[in-house]
Amino acid sequence: MTNFLCKILFFTAITGSSWCFRNDSSPEENRNIPVIAKYFGTKGRYEEVNPYLIRNILAVNRSSLQPPSPQCREIHLTAIIRHGTRYPTAKNVKKMQKLYKLVQSSARGEDCWLHEILTQWTMWYTEDMDGRLVQKGVEDLKHLAVRLSKLFPTIISEEKLRGGLIKFITSSKHRCVNSTLSFKAGLTEMWAITDMEFQHAVNDALMRFFDKCTKFVRDVDNNPSALSEMDKFTQGPEMVRVQQKIADRLNVSYHLITYDMVEAAFYLCAYEFAIKTVNSPWCRLFDEIDGQVMEYALDLKQFWKRGYGYDINSKSSCILFHDVFSRLDKAVNEHNSGQAVNEAVTVQVGHAETLLPLLTLLGFFKDSETLTSTNYASQRERSFRTSRMLPYAANLVLVLFDCGGRDIRLQPLVNEQPVVFPGLADRQESMPLYEDVKRQYAELLNGCDFETVCELFKPAEP
């Protein structure tokens, strides 16, 4: 009787009938969106950051850009973009397979969602997927290209693309190269360009600087104690409660549900949603409070490994920071001297690990209080929230405007939303003067030498 009822309930759930009550969908009443979707951290969809895209994936809001004068026009744009939606890494696939085997062998219960996992859902993730870009990731970058061209039509234009004024740089990782190809395809398909191809450069020194920074690799990346705050939180009362609730839902012994198992279940929900837009039965293992606890654990990891936790995390991006400002300076100098700007647009595709250290170096999303294992409750309204900062296809866009009379201004956007440079929030202008921005970062511009901070040429011991 139970199996028959579950089949009826499952059928009615997916067909939209009211027979099957679900408590795992979002407050917006969209049954396809898990209630925990906005807590997926770096595994989240871009659409959760900008929900209006759910209705129209090509929607833009030009009114959000408020230049001080109607005569302001774009002269250069730099975009640093994370790759699109990808498959899980081999490491995470192994964790997911281990959880799946445990549920298959030990879970018991009468719930519909559990019956679906046990009888209908199959483990389709394989280790050889290992972070490859999925079709949704291709679409992420194509759509982003179209939206940016709609936001800044005079500079991301067919004329400039054909004229070789739009440059593309990428990390060597296949998901980044394929994301770069997808961004280019978004432009060429929009303008029906079939008679030309556009090259890209692979530059890991810029887009994978974290691999090259000796001090970061030694002191943080390969140092197990660097993530001690995350480790303490995953063993603390908030996470233990999440583990117990999941064990209760599966009707298994508490000792079987480790943090790795909880993380695997969270990722199964996240990947099913990001890749296939499916509200997976795995999502029913979590309620919204569980999602918030999981997000904080993952934010602790990013905070201490790539963000404000250690100074070297952000300083490792000095090489990219200087590259960005040298491009901006070059564009300003060319423009002010009456020359055409040789590189009107620069599109650089990398990783979450590329973007977060740079955002940190620039001072964005910094809270007054450090994220630790013991202040979860007081950090509910924190700015440092990777679900908002670093979804798939996350981006930092810097746009130079000429507002007349050499009045050059710089507008930053994060995930297509205008933001304010830290330290310049008290200025009246929505777009600060470029020279004011340079003064704000003068210490970094005059220092922050990659080879020095990363100890690339540390002198030999006497």
Side-chain angles (χ1 to χ4, degrees):
M1 180 63 182
T2 299
N3 290 353
F4 175 71
L5 180 60
C6 276
K7 288 178 182 177
I8 293 176
L9 295 178
F10 175 67
F11 172 78
T12 55
I14 63 174
T15 57
S17 167
S18 60
W19 277 88
C20 190
F21 175 74
R22 301 187 67 145
N23 63 357
D24 62 330
S25 55
S26 73
E28 290 78 19
E29 300 296 328
N30 189 332
R31 293 172 183 266
N32 293 324
I33 301 179
V35 72
I36 60 172
K38 56 188 174 184
Y39 305 117
F40 284 151
T42 61
K43 306 298 185 288
R45 292 194 316 174
Y46 195 78
E47 290 89 333
E48 265 53 62
V49 175
N50 294 319
Y52 59 86
L53 296 176
I54 296 172
R55 297 185 297 276
N56 178 4
I57 196 62
L58 298 179
V60 298
N61 180 17
R62 280 189 59 82
S63 65
S64 65
L65 298 172
Q66 297 183 349
S69 164
Q71 70 186 72
C72 294
R73 60 189 181 87
E74 308 103 355
I75 60 174
H76 174 84
L77 180 149
T78 284
I80 300 166
I81 305 170
R82 184 192 178 194
H83 58 75
T85 306
R86 61 165 174 81
Y87 287 116
T89 60
K91 178 182 176 182
N92 283 329
V93 169
K94 288 178 183 177
K95 291 181 181 179
M96 290 153 60
Q97 290 171 338
K98 186 176 179 181
L99 172 68
Y100 178 65
K101 289 175 183 176
L102 171 68
V103 172
Q104 287 289 320
S105 64
S106 304
R108 298 290 180 268
E110 302 296 325
D111 291 308
C112 263
W113 59 268
L114 181 55
H115 178 76
E116 185 183 346
I117 290 174
L118 294 174
T119 63
Q120 299 178 44
W121 195 89
T122 56
M123 174 52 69
W124 62 277
Y125 298 100
T126 57
E127 291 179 38
D128 61 355
M129 290 175 171
D130 198 22
R132 288 189 288 112
L133 197 71
V134 301
Q135 182 58 36
K136 174 63 165 62
V138 170
E139 294 165 3
D140 289 339
L141 272 293
K142 282 187 175 183
H143 294 149
L144 178 61
V146 173
R147 291 196 303 271
L148 288 179
S149 73
K150 290 171 69 176
L151 265 178
F152 304 105
T154 63
I155 195 163
I156 303 181
S157 66
E158 180 178 358
E159 178 186 5
K160 285 186 167 49
L161 181 63
R162 286 184 175 276
L165 303 181
I166 301 180
K167 304 294 176 63
F168 300 93
I169 300 170
T170 178
S171 153
S172 63
K173 290 291 184 179
H174 43 69
R175 55 186 170 271
C176 295
V177 172
N178 288 332
S179 291
T180 305
L181 294 174
S182 300
F183 191 99
K184 288 191 284 186
L187 299 180
T188 57
E189 290 173 12
M190 176 174 56
W191 296 319
I193 297 175
T194 58
D195 59 328
M196 293 182 71
E197 292 186 357
F198 304 95
Q199 302 303 309
H200 60 262
V202 173
N203 190 332
D204 281 346
L206 283 181
M207 307 315 293
R208 292 185 62 84
F209 52 76
F210 43 88
D211 283 342
K212 318 290 183 183
C213 184
T214 304
K215 181 175 173 60
F216 169 76
V217 172
R218 182 192 67 226
D219 293 353
V220 180
D221 204 25
N222 290 344
N223 179 6
S225 67
L227 294 180
S228 60
E229 289 299 322
M230 178 196 173
D231 293 337
K232 285 186 283 188
F233 183 75
T234 60
Q235 297 163 22
E238 295 92 351
M239 190 60 71
V240 168
R241 182 61 186 136
V242 173
Q243 292 171 225
Q244 291 173 342
K245 286 162 70 176
I246 289 178
D248 288 341
R249 289 169 183 139
L250 293 173
N251 198 19
V252 300
S253 298
Y254 286 169
H255 76 275
L256 292 175
I257 304 300
T258 63
Y259 172 71
D260 277 355
M261 289 293 194
V262 175
E263 186 183 65
F266 196 68
Y267 284 168
L268 274 167
C269 174
Y271 280 114
E272 292 281 275
F273 182 58
I275 295 172
K276 300 164 69 174
T277 320
V278 168
N279 189 352
S280 165
W282 292 101
C283 300
R284 299 294 291 273
L285 285 170
F286 300 89
D287 58 31
E288 187 164 11
I289 292 173
D290 302 332
Q292 293 168 354
V293 173
M294 287 301 300
E295 181 191 42
Y296 191 71
L298 299 174
D299 283 352
L300 279 171
K301 178 180 180 180
Q302 295 297 333
F303 183 91
W304 290 98
K305 194 166 187 176
R306 306 288 178 181
Y308 290 102
Y310 303 102
D311 188 55
I312 190 58
N313 293 349
S314 61
K315 292 293 177 60
S316 67
S317 70
C318 284
I319 188 170
L320 181 57
F321 171 86
H322 283 296
D323 179 74
V324 167
F325 274 91
S326 67
R327 290 174 190 278
L328 297 174
D329 279 345
K330 183 172 181 289
V332 169
N333 291 337
E334 288 174 345
H335 179 74
N336 284 343
S337 65
Q339 303 176 50
V341 175
N342 184 52
E343 196 166 311
V345 178
T346 309
V347 176
Q348 299 174 265
V349 180
H351 308 263
E353 297 89 343
T354 309
L355 200 48
L356 181 53
L358 182 61
L359 290 171
T360 303
L361 191 68
L362 293 170
F364 290 111
F365 307 107
K366 186 174 185 179
D367 296 288
S368 59
E369 191 178 351
T370 297
L371 272 66
T372 70
S373 59
T374 58
N375 62 1
Y376 165 69
S378 65
Q379 290 284 18
R380 293 290 183 89
E381 302 300 321
R382 64 190 180 278
S383 294
F384 191 94
R385 180 167 262 118
T386 55
S387 300
R388 304 287 303 169
M389 299 156 57
L390 293 167
Y392 294 118
N395 52 86
L396 168 65
V397 174
L398 300 169
V399 190
L400 281 169
F401 285 83
D402 178 358
C403 294
R406 295 199 173 187
D407 181 3
I408 306 297
R409 296 175 179 267
L410 184 64
Q411 173 68 66
L413 302 94
V414 174
N415 300 328
E416 298 173 68
Q417 302 303 318
V419 292
V420 177
F421 283 110
L424 296 177
D426 59 338
R427 304 299 174 93
Q428 294 300 310
E429 304 93 351
S430 59
M431 296 178 186
L433 290 167
Y434 180 54
E435 289 303 316
D436 286 347
V437 175
K438 290 178 69 175
R439 274 191 287 273
Q440 176 66 23
Y441 296 113
E443 185 176 343
L444 291 171
L445 288 168
N446 294 325
C448 200
D449 177 68
F450 182 77
E451 293 183 353
T452 302
V453 299
C454 289
E455 300 180 0
L456 299 191
F457 299 107
K458 190 175 181 180
E461 297 293 335

